[in-house]
Amino acid sequence: MKVHDRMRVLATSDPGSNDRANEDWFHADENLLAVLDGATARTDTGCLHGVTWYAHRLGENTVELARDRSTPLSKVLADAISRVAGEHRSTCDLGHPGTPSAGIGLVRFRPGGLDYLVLGDVSLVIDQADRLIVVTDDRVSHTATEERAKADRYPIGSPDKAAALLAMKHAELAARNMPGGYWIAEADPAAAQHALTGSAPVDDRTKVAILSDGAARAVTLGLLDWPGAMALLRSEGPQGLIARVRQAEANDPHGTRWRRNKRSDDATAVYVDGLDSVAG
């Protein structure tokens, strides 16, 4: 937790499994919020470093570049993608169909408002007291529809589920960063131009949250609606929201009640309220 004047900045990230590295990454301060959600690699990647390294390096470069407020967030992301590609082009095959990728949500505050960018399976919520703005990039969920439906028929942990998820991943990769498919940060900076971007005013009642898809399960599994999720974040913070998700996952370990690809996913949530200093 960080406090700036009356501003609360709360953030946490919880790995989905004790035997795998957390592929999420976050940064949160009074000026900038960032959540990155590394895309699960079910195939070879052609990369020596892996998804966790990619998400961390992309996040660190994005935060550094976003400090220049004159640079639009889409250009910030494009330049960060180019930088990270340059860091491992000599050792890794960046043209590999499975090269590591990550979704990203960014919020940069300015006097009286904020600018945002969302690319990939990350959700942004802006609660302005009189209305709720939800920005979710769900384009990936509209790809590989037949393969996705087949994977949903099998219980988590079964050989049939594993085989169906692999087929689904291949179908998703064939649609990655393609017109009519979905867009996500990987090696080509052009993907940043397809991000969902915008601006919103801020006053002292505004609350903001960015969630990786593992944390957004609080809503996508039907445990809460978005107003309820924001209320829980305000009262119990990101840890309380993620605990609600973990409880549901534990009660449905095979995914027969709430169909999903993994028993538990990496879950990251950033929440901010008390935006007096920004609104002034």
Side-chain angles (χ1 to χ4, degrees):
M1 172 177 173
K2 298 181 181 180
V3 179
H4 179 76
D5 294 333
R6 288 180 57 196
M7 187 175 185
R8 285 197 309 166
V9 183
L10 310 177
T12 195
S13 186
D14 185 63
S17 172
N18 291 328
D19 57 7
R20 291 178 60 253
N22 190 343
E23 294 174 345
D24 285 359
W25 184 93
F26 75 87
H27 171 90
D29 64 32
E30 64 272 14
N31 299 306
L32 185 69
L33 313 177
V35 169
L36 280 83
D37 185 347
T40 301
R42 302 186 190 279
T43 68
D44 291 336
T45 65
C47 177
L48 300 175
H49 303 94
V51 174
T52 297
W53 175 90
Y54 179 79
H56 284 220
R57 291 302 299 141
L58 183 63
E60 290 162 356
N61 277 279
T62 299
V63 168
E64 179 186 344
L65 291 165
R67 298 297 184 196
D68 182 352
R69 293 177 177 273
S70 67
T71 307
L73 292 179
S74 57
K75 179 166 173 40
V76 165
L77 179 57
D79 290 347
I81 291 171
S82 292
R83 275 194 183 186
V84 178
E87 290 179 10
H88 65 139
R89 180 172 283 111
S90 64
T91 57
C92 304
D93 177 10
L94 303 191
H96 192 286
T99 192
S101 63
I104 182 169
L106 287 174
V107 168
R108 184 169 60 190
F109 295 106
R110 51 180 168 73
L114 61 81
D115 302 311
Y116 66 80
L117 176 149
V118 175
L119 182 71
D121 202 1
V122 176
S123 295
L124 165 68
V125 187
I126 305 169
D127 185 348
Q128 296 180 315
D130 59 341
R131 66 170 180 156
L132 202 69
I133 301 170
V134 180
V135 183
T136 298
D137 186 356
D138 62 354
R139 286 174 285 190
V140 66
S141 66
H142 300 291
T143 66
T145 52
E146 291 183 10
E147 293 85 357
R148 198 177 305 279
K150 184 175 181 180
D152 281 344
R153 293 201 291 266
Y154 302 116
I156 294 169
S158 69
D160 287 337
K161 181 80 163 183
L165 287 173
L166 181 60
M168 186 189 82
K169 188 65 178 184
H170 281 295
E172 283 183 356
L173 290 176
R176 184 174 73 173
N177 291 353
M178 298 283 290
Y182 71 102
W183 303 87
I184 194 168
E186 39 104 325
D188 184 357
Q193 300 306 312
H194 298 273
L196 309 179
T197 59
S199 301
V202 167
D203 63 28
D204 58 3
R205 300 174 300 167
T206 303
K207 306 164 191 69
V208 178
I210 309 178
L211 310 177
S212 69
D213 65 341
R217 282 182 172 184
V219 174
T220 59
L221 295 183
L223 311 177
L224 299 164
D225 58 13
W226 283 115
M230 292 300 284
L232 183 58
L233 282 165
R234 183 176 186 179
S235 63
E236 299 184 26
Q239 291 179 328
L241 181 80
I242 293 172
R244 182 74 63 93
V245 172
R246 295 299 187 231
Q247 181 181 26
E249 292 168 338
N251 290 336
D252 180 38
H254 301 297
T256 54
R257 179 178 180 183
W258 293 299
R259 298 292 181 179
R260 57 197 192 274
N261 297 336
K262 305 177 200 174
R263 183 169 300 166
S264 295
D265 196 5
D266 301 332
T268 301
V270 173
Y271 172 80
V272 175
D273 64 16
L275 294 169
D276 300 53
S277 58
V278 174

